Amino acid sequence: MRVAMIGSGYVGLVSGACFADFGHQVTCVDTDAAKIGQLKAGRMPIYEPGLEELVRSNARAGRLAFTIDIAEGMKGADAVFIAVGTPSRRGDGHADLSYVYAAARDIARNLEGFTVVVTKSTVPVGTGDEVERLIRETNPAADVAVASNPEFLREGAAIGDFKRPDRIVIGIQDPRARGVLEELYRPLFLNQAPILVTSRRTAELIKYAANAFLAVKITFINEMADLCEKVGGNVQEVARGIGLDKRIGPKFLNAGPGYGGSCFPKDTLALIKTAEDHDSPVRIVEAAVRANDLRKRAMGRKVIAAMGGEVRGRTIAILGLTFKPETDDMRDAPSIAIIQTLQDAGARIVAYDPEGMEQARHVLSGVDYRVDAYGAVAGADAMVLVTEWDEFRALDLARVRKLLRAPVVVDLRNIYRPEEMARHGFHYHSVGR
Ligand code: NAD
């Protein structure tokens, strides 16, 4: 089948490359000429494990192409996916749908023959209706079926998630869309990935419900961590103790500095706004958002307390800046609020991240970047672990101890063992233990 992917960011590029790898003919379109130029030259605009090889091999095989010209990209397409960004609208927290609607109008002008237009971007309930209306208004002669196919991939594990999904959700109004989407995903049916076919509105809501539930789960264990610290419990054992219950499950029960990233913060806010608009508030999600927002600065204060309550003029080494390991994505990373809190209190920040420093430069100011973890901790008054990249798990702790000016370590991801840290002579603080 021929596929056009409108928007070639994390989701569009990964989805496009994976569809090509299934054997489909894919063209990824983007309005960002620099991004398309890079992709044509075989360079990845994002860091995602395995992506470069996947893109190169499928481009070489002639199944994956890139263009800024939507007319060229859509030529003969059976399905056109909308995979553009849906950030929070400045000021009110609603999803900003301007990119989706612009893409819908561009698509409408270039439709030829029957085409399925599929929204893969995360969009509020009812967006599919508006996309369909815009397409019919722009091109009344168009023969389209507008479907919803939300994406659940995780950055850092995106290719595996796309190729071995827990489920595929397809929301349709026009039954003709079903056959096209089933044909596109056929390689996954052969792997027996469950497919849920539902209405377009239900599919749109499933995506928000999933992200909001996961955000609530993380926030819940974070509050249990705080309680553990007050009452002398161990949150990792609490998590294991509840996670073994199959009704609860063990995933997303790692206490930490609060969730961030390109999805949970904006999607929880957008769901709250949709629910308010329909006079059906989601109070649990509202509480999670508020708790999570407060938590990030609280983590900054936790570091200050670990350093004796005064950080003015002192140097703090931050290890890990991205919102999670194996990505260079800095969108809403907890490190941003934590570093801001420490800078507000007068601290000097040195930092190291294996992949995220280039993106970090756009969102952080006054930070000194180092080429590795040891360079960051050298001469610092404390080391703060914010993102649990694997290379930090295997640090030479004796060397870290020698390099640090003061032996303070704050581990916001619980990756070190308290006994071992004590043996090395660190004043070690973690989360909920
Ligand atoms: P992104 O910002 O990385 O990429 C979006 C791309 O769309 C950009 O390259 C931009 O230049 C391009 N674009 C914008 N308007 C365009 C237009 N009219 N025509 C062509 N290209 C256009 O965003 P992302 O992280 O890939 O997210 C895309 C959507 O997928 C969002 O709705 C997001 O919520 C959702 N999603 C993201 C993830 C994730 O892990 N990043 C996971 C699941 C769902």
Side-chain angles (χ1 to χ4, degrees), residues 6-12 29-32 35 46 70 83-86 99 102-103 106 120-123 151-155 207 262-263 266-267 329 331:
I6 312 303
S8 308
Y10 283 86
V11 166
V29 181
D30 206 289
T31 44
D32 183 339
K35 194 176 269 191
I46 54 170
I70 189 167
V84 302
T86 49
Y99 303 98
D106 280 350
K120 203 169 232 334
S121 300
T122 302
V123 294
E151 182 50 56
F152 298 95
L153 61 77
R154 294 164 300 167
E155 287 175 21
K207 175 64 191 176
S262 62
C263 292
K266 76 173 177 64
D267 292 347
D329 202 335
R331 288 179 281 186

Side-chain angles (χ1 to χ4, degrees), residues 43-329:
R43 289 195 310 275
M44 294 306 105
I46 54 170
Y47 173 75
E48 179 63 44
L51 186 60
E52 188 164 332
E53 299 76 57
L54 191 74
V55 167
R56 281 210 184 141
S57 61
N58 283 285
R60 212 177 301 125
R63 288 190 299 264
L64 181 60
F66 302 96
T67 180
I68 54 166
D69 179 357
I70 189 167
E72 177 192 324
M74 279 180 58
K75 216 154 221 74
D78 302 287
V80 180
F81 282 83
I82 300 177
V84 302
T86 49
S88 276
R89 194 161 68 188
R90 217 171 280 171
D92 68 3
H94 276 280
D96 177 353
L97 294 172
S98 55
Y99 303 98
V100 171
Y101 294 154
R105 287 196 192 88
D106 280 350
I107 290 167
R109 283 188 278 270
N110 291 285
L111 287 165
E112 291 164 4
F114 174 65
T115 312
V116 182
V117 175
V118 193
T119 309
K120 203 169 232 334
S121 300
T122 302
V123 294
V125 175
T127 303
D129 304 358
E130 182 61 12
V131 166
E132 180 160 357
R133 195 193 63 76
L134 283 171
I135 291 175
R136 296 202 188 288
E137 177 186 274
T138 312
N139 182 352
D143 185 13
V144 283
V146 176
S148 162
N149 170 222
E151 182 50 56
F152 298 95
L153 61 77
R154 294 164 300 167
E155 287 175 21
I159 294 168
D161 284 352
F162 193 91
K163 290 191 167 181
R164 288 177 296 282
D166 288 342
R167 78 302 207 185
I168 300 157
V169 173
I170 290 175
I172 52 168
Q173 297 305 112
D174 179 333
R176 292 180 298 170
R178 183 177 185 150
V180 171
L181 282 162
E182 284 184 344
E183 182 58 24
L184 276 174
Y185 280 111
R186 196 160 49 93
L188 297 184
F189 301 158
L190 302 178
N191 297 344
Q192 304 198 317
I195 173 160
L196 174 64
V197 181
T198 177
S199 74
R200 198 163 60 198
R201 286 182 162 237
T202 301
E204 290 167 340
L205 189 55
I206 286 171
K207 175 64 191 176
Y208 282 101
N211 275 0
F213 192 89
L214 293 172
V216 167
K217 200 171 177 189
I218 294 174
T219 309
F220 177 83
I221 202 67
N222 283 341
E223 293 201 322
M224 285 300 124
D226 293 347
L227 187 56
C228 281
E229 289 182 16
K230 295 280 162 58
V231 302
N234 179 326
V235 75
Q236 281 177 315
E237 289 167 10
V238 170
R240 185 161 158 74
I242 63 174
L244 285 168
D245 185 327
K246 291 193 182 63
R247 292 169 302 178
I248 296 173
K251 304 259 178 76
F252 273 71
L253 288 177
N254 293 320
Y259 63 77
S262 62
C263 292
F264 289 179
K266 76 173 177 64
D267 292 347
T268 45
L269 274 187
L271 178 63
I272 289 169
K273 290 295 163 187
T274 300
E276 278 174 3
D277 284 353
H278 291 82
D279 207 11
S280 179
V282 283
R283 297 199 178 86
I284 290 178
V285 184
E286 289 171 16
V289 167
R290 170 121 180 96
N292 192 68
D293 283 348
L294 295 174
R295 184 169 191 82
K296 296 182 192 171
R297 283 189 78 87
M299 291 296 116
R301 293 197 300 277
K302 181 183 175 84
V303 173
I304 295 169
M307 295 178 72
E310 180 57 57
V311 296
R312 186 160 301 281
R314 298 170 80 192
T315 301
I316 300 174
I318 303 284
L319 298 192
L321 296 168
T322 52
F323 84 94
K324 66 169 169 179
E326 298 299 329
T327 180
D328 61 351
D329 202 335

Side-chain angles (χ1 to χ4, degrees), residues 10 261 321-323 328-333 335-336 353 356 359-360 363-364:
Y10 283 86
L321 296 168
T322 52
F323 84 94
D328 61 351
D329 202 335
M330 281 294 296
R331 288 179 281 186
D332 269 315
S335 65
I336 299 169
D353 186 284
Q359 293 302 323
V363 288
L364 298 168

